[in-house]
Amino acid sequence: MIQLPGLIDIHTHLREPGATHKEDFDTGTAAALAGGFTVVLAMPNTQPPLVNAAAFNTALQAARRKARCDYGLYLGATLDNAAELPALAPRAAALKLYLDATYGPLLLDDTQAWRAHFTRWPPNRPIVAHAERQTLAALLFIAALHDRPVHIAHVARREEILLIRAAKEKGLPVTCEVCPHHLFLTTEDVQDSGSRESGIRGWLSPSRGEVRPRLASPADRAALWDNLDVIDCFASDHAPHLLSEKDGPHPPPGFPGLETTLPLLLTAVHEGRLTLEDVVARLYHNPRRIFGLPEQPETWIEVDPDAAYEIRGADQYTRCGWTPFEGWRVRGRLARVVLRGRDAFRDGKVLAPPGSGKNVRN
Ligand code: NCD
Ligand code: ZN
Ligand code: ZN
């Protein structure tokens, strides 16, 4: 058995308020614990989005009542809330800028609005951006103009990781995260077939394969692995949508990921593609440093590195009930999570009750 620190997922969608049929603070944090995470930072693209005091307070109250692991909540930037957000910043995990279209109503399509947020948001709280391709280049320019650190969410393409490498080499204070689905899946895993067998290992239907950033080419995936030293964090981008929604006429983009991130990465460790230190740096040390997160006393996880099993959507705690990694054979099983001296997960069962999670900003 190997002991590791309680892991931190800096990019999680918990869907509360507004879409609790997909996930809520209870099921989402149960999924986090079942995945080895003792802290999740939840994204603001809820309904309503967390872009003002009223919505933010509603979400904070629900989280306080229902969360089983520790959490922080992001605030979302809009065209007109740059002046209002600094008052809420002390209680927020970070500020999120949505600069490309994705799931939810938040899209900041005006570089002057980006600049207003860079000017007003307090320097002791991170700014995180969804910025793909040329949007990433524009964002790095504006962050440099304002002399501000910025963290790039879910980097997926060769051109993006190489741009971040160049920015870092120039000395710009940029950090980034990469998701397991971009490390392990490509467009070649997506196939249009009339059969009902989507979900068996080997391929995903185009609608199940919808995610932002989109799954990229094998060359893009290889570039992520080749530039591992540029990747500061791994993040699940746990984006639960029901299978009925994914298989419907307007499939929303996003994959669940909280319960598959650790076993996929441990499998890569088993195969010699990563070291355990690489994983702990990117799921614990770097997230803590970049987001300024407190230590969790008497908190750790235990992993059996040799246990082999098959990923099954039906075995997961997430309410969405599926996974793009259905049937994948992995090596490395979470056996136990201890949170503040108490068993929070043991032998496949989540034991921490709703309400036992703490806000990392309190
Ligand atoms: C996310 C979601 O569903 O909230 N979807 C996704 O495809 N990643 C939004 C996001 O992270 O861009
Ligand atoms: Zn995004
Ligand atoms: Zn996301």
Side-chain angles (χ1 to χ4, degrees):
M1 210 61 82
I2 295 177
Q3 193 166 313
L4 303 175
L7 304 178
I8 300 168
D9 189 27
I10 58 172
H11 189 151
T12 316
H13 299 269
L14 296 181
R15 307 302 190 205
E16 185 161 5
T20 53
H21 65 288
K22 298 176 195 269
E23 199 79 287
D24 68 1
F25 284 110
D26 175 348
T27 56
T29 56
L33 288 168
F37 295 100
T38 54
V39 180
V40 289
L41 303 185
M43 284 293 166
N45 62 334
T46 50
Q47 291 169 330
L50 309 186
V51 297
N52 55 43
F56 190 55
N57 288 328
T58 303
L60 281 173
Q61 276 169 27
R64 179 202 278 269
R65 235 175 357 99
K66 296 167 75 173
R68 298 171 188 261
C69 71
D70 294 355
Y71 59 89
L73 303 188
Y74 280 83
L75 283 163
T78 69
L79 292 177
D80 56 14
N81 71 354
E84 185 182 351
L85 293 187
L88 305 173
R91 291 186 292 148
L95 175 67
K96 181 69 181 284
L97 309 183
Y98 287 92
L99 307 182
D100 292 294
T102 185
Y103 180 72
L106 297 175
L107 177 63
L108 214 53
D109 189 18
D110 176 347
T111 51
Q112 286 305 312
W114 309 5
R115 299 187 66 198
H117 286 283
F118 272 98
T119 305
R120 311 291 283 258
W121 182 253
N124 67 343
R125 288 281 181 272
I127 296 179
V128 177
H130 178 139
E132 304 181 33
R133 307 193 67 188
Q134 294 98 327
T135 311
L136 172 60
L139 173 71
L140 292 175
F141 172 70
I142 287 183
L145 272 187
H146 288 263
D147 210 3
R148 264 228 52 151
V150 66
H151 177 84
I152 312 303
H154 45 40
V155 174
R157 298 176 181 89
R158 180 173 182 273
E159 66 171 289
E160 294 160 353
I161 198 71
L162 292 182
L163 199 55
I164 292 169
R165 171 177 285 288
K168 286 187 174 194
E169 283 170 0
K170 192 86 180 166
L172 296 179
V174 54
T175 55
C176 72
E177 76 199 25
V178 169
C179 306
H181 47 270
H182 294 120
L183 286 172
F184 294 100
L185 297 172
T186 69
T187 47
E188 296 198 340
D189 295 293
V190 178
Q191 254 182 63
D192 202 350
S193 152
S195 141
R196 288 181 315 221
E197 289 176 84
S198 176
I200 305 299
R201 177 164 188 171
W203 61 276
L204 288 163
S205 69
S207 62
R208 288 191 195 183
E210 282 286 352
V211 67
R212 297 293 178 276
R214 290 187 163 84
L215 293 180
S217 70
D220 288 310
R221 176 177 60 185
L224 298 179
W225 285 97
D226 289 345
N227 290 278
L228 207 63
D229 58 323
V230 180
I231 302 173
D232 299 281
C233 304
F234 295 133
S236 77
D237 191 11
H238 178 76
H241 300 285
L242 301 185
L243 212 41
S244 55
E245 297 166 330
K246 294 294 284 183
D247 289 346
H250 306 288
F255 298 155
L258 280 170
E259 290 160 272
T260 47
T261 295
L262 179 61
L264 289 166
L265 293 172
L266 290 175
T267 304
V269 170
H270 192 84
E271 292 168 351
R273 308 175 73 195
L274 279 177
T275 66
L276 210 49
E277 292 69 39
D278 287 332
V279 175
V280 173
R282 288 164 184 77
L283 287 179
Y284 176 72
H285 293 293
N286 296 343
R288 255 195 86 192
R289 175 175 47 82
I290 294 165
F291 287 82
L293 299 174
E295 199 177 347
Q296 296 175 296
E298 287 183 81
T299 297
W300 71 90
I301 71 172
E302 293 172 16
V303 163
D304 178 351
D306 295 318
Y309 70 101
E310 269 183 24
I311 291 175
R312 295 278 169 225
D315 293 342
Q316 298 190 131
Y317 278 87
T318 173
R319 184 164 282 153
C320 77
W322 76 287
T323 164
F325 300 103
E326 183 73 29
W328 282 46
R329 209 164 165 71
V330 286
R331 217 41 209 263
R333 187 167 211 139
L334 180 70
R336 185 180 180 204
V337 176
V338 178
L339 176 54
R340 280 186 291 279
R342 292 191 168 176
D343 273 329
F345 174 90
R346 196 154 192 171
D347 302 328
K349 295 264 177 299
V350 171
L351 303 172
S356 52
K358 281 178 133 175
N359 188 334
V360 295
R361 296 303 190 211
N362 275 351

